[in-house]
Amino acid sequence: MIEELKKETRTPEADEEKICGAVKHFEALLREQLKRRDDMASARPPRNFRDGRPVTIGVIDGDGIGPIIMREAERVLRFLLRDEMNAGTVILRRIEGLTLENRTAKGQAVPDDVLAAVKACDVLLKGPTTTPKGGTLESANVVLRRSLDLFANVRPVVVPEEGVDWIFFRENTEGEYALGSRGIAFDDILTADFKVTTDTGTRRIARAAFEYARQNGKKNVAIVTKANILKKTDGMFSRIAHEVASQYPEIEAEDWYVDIMAANLVNPAVRSKFQVFLLPNLYGDILTDEAAQIQGGVGTAGSSNTGDHYAMFEAIHGSAPRKIAAGEGAYANPASILRATEMLLRHIGRIAEADHLNRAMNVCLEEERRVVVTGHADGATCEAFGDYLLEKLAAE
Ligand code: IPM
Ligand code: MG
């Protein structure tokens, strides 16, 4: 009945007009993506963080539990980098305005003045931002990743007692995310989104994964796709990944489909044999939440978004509006953003400070467990954990 009604309101001429409109839209997207691919191929040489120039760290609170967990992360950064900040070799700069209210008021996922402030920094530590479902406002995260060309989303997950030591290299600018908000809706009866994979985009994330494997003595990289179904995009991702793999003969490159890999991660009999994962964007999004849950929850895993010129470090989880609505924001777990803080320190070459934070986190989270955050009112507050961690950091 409903279908019949829709048919009645359609005419062949109106269909034709919409198809022509969609073809034009698609043509514009293809031209733009081709240009993006060509720009990538001629990228400038990467920023070297050990060249002695001052490093500016932008600190962005975000929404929901963002300001609460970021407060602890900022305290830790200020403590660990106090000498560098005094000497002027590290500058910590707060960036305001990446809030849902401001983004909605300006109608921009990342308002122009915020983006300009972000681009004036070298690296960012960012709290989670809320993305409204539906509507037209794009995810601030996706826009930042795209605007700063942060192509590598790297997420480590470790469960020592199970021998699990994983690191995920998720492609971060392409796949379903490249044009996720620019699909086609043919009235409300047919919709199409687009998935984009480029050779250059795949090659650079594949290189990052294999290079990491080589430098860290890893023997295995799992290339995770659904190339049996998505023959063009995932087919190319797999082909280019193997092309890159051929330059790393000491490392085994294995093809896996994402569905069976999702099963493998919860299979204790096989999961510890995986080491490095290389995935297109959406599969990486999904499997890294699954993996983080195995480690103890999405509140526990850090995440880095790196490109050749900028890098952004963040928690793996979202802004937890349900927790705020339940009045439990103060009990949010800062572990994920603190792991991201450790990754930031490592990225800017502050290895000793990163190791220092890592040791103190392990003592607080695993050895002593004197202050335990559960995420709810039955556990310690985020701030109490921050105090505990700072006490450990100062004691060393
Ligand atoms: C992540 C998040 C983001 C994503 C959201 C917040 C846009 O889930 O970083 O994994 O989908 O990539
Ligand atoms: Mg995610």
Side-chain angles (χ1 to χ4, degrees):
M1 177 65 187
I2 290 170
E3 276 77 8
E4 271 162 24
L5 272 179
K6 294 230 170 86
K7 261 185 220 141
E8 274 168 29
T9 61
R10 286 170 51 199
T11 62
E13 294 74 27
D15 277 4
E16 222 27 60
E17 201 177 304
K18 279 176 198 136
I19 290 172
C20 285
V23 169
K24 285 218 181 74
H25 176 70
F26 187 54
E27 181 185 342
L29 294 181
L30 273 181
R31 289 188 193 288
E32 175 200 293
Q33 291 300 307
L34 201 55
K35 178 171 183 315
R36 185 178 63 80
R37 183 267 167 207
D38 292 347
D39 288 349
M40 250 189 288
S42 59
R44 293 174 289 147
R47 160 87 153 97
N48 171 12
F49 283 99
R50 303 183 192 196
D51 58 7
R53 275 189 294 153
V55 177
T56 303
I57 305 174
V59 176
I60 305 178
D61 276 352
D63 305 303
I65 59 169
I68 300 167
I69 57 172
M70 281 297 293
R71 189 166 168 267
E72 304 316 314
E74 192 179 333
R75 279 167 77 197
V76 165
L77 264 189
R78 286 186 183 279
F79 177 78
L80 287 172
L81 296 176
R82 58 196 183 284
D83 293 343
E84 289 81 354
M85 286 173 66
N86 283 336
T89 52
V90 169
I91 299 153
L92 221 64
R93 186 181 295 161
R94 289 192 59 81
I95 299 176
E96 311 292 341
L98 199 69
T99 57
L100 183 59
E101 297 72 37
N102 193 37
R103 289 182 286 130
T104 311
K106 299 235 170 89
Q108 284 185 303
V110 179
D112 292 337
D113 54 333
V114 176
L115 187 59
V118 157
K119 286 192 168 171
C121 298
D122 299 298
V123 297
L124 302 167
L125 186 65
K126 181 188 137 306
T129 45
T130 303
T131 309
K133 204 191 293 166
T136 52
L137 196 67
E138 231 190 318
S139 150
N141 251 19
V142 171
V143 171
L144 281 172
R145 289 169 184 172
R146 196 167 52 225
S147 312
L148 305 177
D149 202 20
L150 306 175
F151 64 85
N153 185 192
V154 183
R155 298 181 157 173
V157 164
V158 182
V159 189
E161 60 277 20
E162 286 222 20
V164 166
D165 188 359
W166 296 330
I167 186 153
F168 292 82
F169 283 79
R170 163 190 177 191
E171 201 294 319
N172 213 21
T173 50
E174 304 202 330
E176 294 79 355
Y177 284 66
L179 297 169
S181 55
R182 294 164 75 194
I184 290 174
F186 198 104
D187 293 334
D188 52 359
I189 55 169
L190 186 153
T191 47
D193 281 317
F194 303 110
K195 169 164 173 161
V196 186
T197 302
T198 66
D199 59 343
T200 3
T202 306
R203 204 164 282 125
R204 61 186 186 174
I205 186 69
R207 270 207 206 101
F210 280 95
E211 204 47 44
Y212 175 89
R214 172 171 285 171
Q215 279 168 25
N216 292 275
K218 306 288 180 190
K219 295 277 158 270
N220 181 284
V221 174
I223 302 160
V224 184
T225 66
K226 192 75 185 174
N228 49 342
I229 303 299
L230 291 158
K231 293 181 189 291
K232 293 282 183 291
T233 48
D234 284 6
M236 176 153 107
F237 190 95
S238 170
R239 179 169 56 74
I240 303 267
H242 280 283
E243 221 179 271
V244 171
S246 68
Q247 292 152 25
Y248 299 81
E250 78 279 18
I251 297 160
E252 184 189 12
E254 283 186 341
D255 268 318
W256 288 92
Y257 293 135
V258 63
D259 48 353
I260 189 63
M261 188 53 92
N264 285 339
L265 295 192
V266 287
N267 180 354
V270 299
R271 65 184 174 196
S272 62
K273 80 179 182 84
F274 297 105
Q275 298 183 327
V276 179
F277 299 80
L278 168 61
L279 323 88
N281 209 336
L282 185 60
Y283 310 141
D285 177 45
I286 298 168
L287 286 198
T288 53
D289 264 17
E290 187 193 357
Q293 191 59 42
I294 293 165
Q295 178 182 258
V298 292
T300 65
S303 170
S304 73
N305 302 266
T306 54
D308 284 339
H309 302 283
Y310 297 100
M312 177 169 83
F313 298 81
E314 59 185 357
I316 199 176
H317 54 75
S319 57
R322 269 184 291 249
K323 193 177 290 298
I324 296 290
E328 288 191 324
Y331 300 94
N333 191 349
S336 181
I337 197 74
L338 290 166
R339 293 291 186 199
T341 306
E342 179 192 329
M343 294 175 92
L344 182 152
L345 289 166
R346 228 171 270 292
H347 187 79
I348 61 169
R350 300 285 157 193
I351 310 299
E353 290 83 353
D355 289 343
H356 187 179
L357 176 55
N358 180 273
R359 283 191 303 275
M361 285 282 283
N362 291 343
V363 170
C364 295
L365 290 169
E366 284 154 27
E367 289 169 31
E368 284 188 5
R369 296 176 58 82
R370 182 155 59 74
V371 177
V372 178
V373 177
T374 62
H376 300 286
D378 61 352
T381 61
C382 183
E383 186 178 3
F385 185 83
D387 289 343
Y388 176 37
L389 181 63
L390 277 158
E391 185 193 304
K392 286 286 154 231
L393 286 170
E396 209 185 289

